[in-house]
């Protein structure tokens, strides 16, 4: 196999595998950390050239549907906790925000909170929710964690009094 990629709308292909590499596995782990964020397509070319002479070798290529590379976590803006009313904006530059959750005092049991409009369906979501049932009375450190559709997460803390 030979694997290459291109940015959506561009024609230039870049190799994922080395040009002289004989890649025979049917799965490839591809670290996209060095790839700029955006929409991409992958092209896989299969060949039987290592089993056949040049005259008899067969090749076939297929290109994927467009997919998103998103390596940057979302941002949490305008974070406020007044009493037990949590307000914030969760934003991502590439993917939709898909989950916002809270925990308190270093606990690992995060609980989801809902967006103001009732559905996570955009890259900019507002949260305005009473979290009194999730955080007991008294002084606590509340951790807010936000995920985007690519699985990137970020968290911030705010004091509850």
């Amino acid at each position: 196999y030979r694997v290459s990629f291109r940015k959506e709308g561009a024609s230039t292909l870049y190799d994922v595998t080395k040009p002289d590499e004989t890649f025979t596995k049917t799965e490839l782990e591809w670290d996209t950390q060095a790839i700029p964020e955006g929409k991409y397509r992958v092209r896989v070319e299969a060949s039987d050239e290592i089993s056949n002479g040049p005259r008899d070798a067969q090749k076939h290529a297929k290109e994927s549907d467009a997919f998103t590379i998103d390596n940057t976590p979302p941002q949490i803006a305008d974070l406020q906790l007044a009493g037990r009313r949590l307000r914030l904006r969760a934003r991502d530059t590439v993917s939709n925000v898909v989950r916002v959750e809270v925990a308190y005092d270093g606990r690992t049991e995060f609980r989801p909170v809902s967006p103001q409009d009732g559905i996570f369906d955009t890259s900019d979501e507002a949260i305005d929710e009473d979290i009194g049932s999730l955080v007991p009375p008294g002084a606590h450190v509340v951790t807010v964690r936000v995920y985007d559709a690519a699985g990137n997460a970020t968290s911030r803390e705010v004091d509850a009094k």
Side-chain angles (χ1 to χ4, degrees):
Y1 298 99
R2 287 183 182 86
V3 181
S4 54
F5 70 97
R6 69 178 177 85
K7 190 153 185 142
E8 180 73 355
S11 59
T12 303
L13 287 165
Y14 301 97
D15 291 328
V16 174
T17 53
K18 297 175 183 160
D20 58 345
E21 179 180 12
T22 302
F23 191 80
T24 59
K25 296 178 185 177
T26 57
E27 294 180 6
L28 172 68
E29 190 170 318
W30 181 29
D31 182 358
T32 62
Q33 291 296 317
I35 307 293
E37 293 179 324
K39 298 268 187 202
Y40 289 86
R41 292 181 184 265
V42 168
R43 182 178 186 270
V44 177
E45 179 184 279
S47 170
D48 63 0
E49 64 194 73
I50 61 174
S51 300
N52 293 299
R55 183 177 43 164
D56 297 324
Q58 303 254 340
K59 292 181 181 180
H60 181 73
K62 184 94 173 163
E63 192 169 271
S64 73
D65 291 334
F67 62 92
T68 301
I69 292 179
D70 179 358
N71 296 316
T72 305
Q75 297 176 345
I76 299 171
D78 305 325
L79 178 60
Q80 302 172 21
L81 186 57
R84 291 297 182 264
R85 176 141 310 267
L86 177 68
R87 291 185 179 96
L88 65 98
R89 294 214 61 103
R91 295 184 178 114
D92 194 83
T93 57
V94 178
S95 301
N96 284 350
V97 172
V98 296
R99 188 168 72 222
V100 176
E101 53 192 19
V102 298
Y104 66 95
D105 296 343
R107 288 175 169 78
T108 58
E109 300 86 26
F110 279 84
R111 302 285 304 277
V113 294
S114 299
Q116 196 169 11
D117 66 0
I119 186 168
F120 288 112
D121 61 350
T122 67
S123 62
D124 186 349
E125 295 286 352
I127 305 293
D128 185 353
E129 182 146 351
D130 181 346
I131 60 170
S133 64
L134 305 177
V135 179
H140 301 282
V141 175
V142 175
T143 302
V144 177
R145 186 164 61 185
V146 177
Y147 286 90
D148 66 18
N152 300 308
T154 192
S155 60
R156 291 208 17 220
E157 294 178 348
V158 63
D159 291 327
K161 298 174 185 176

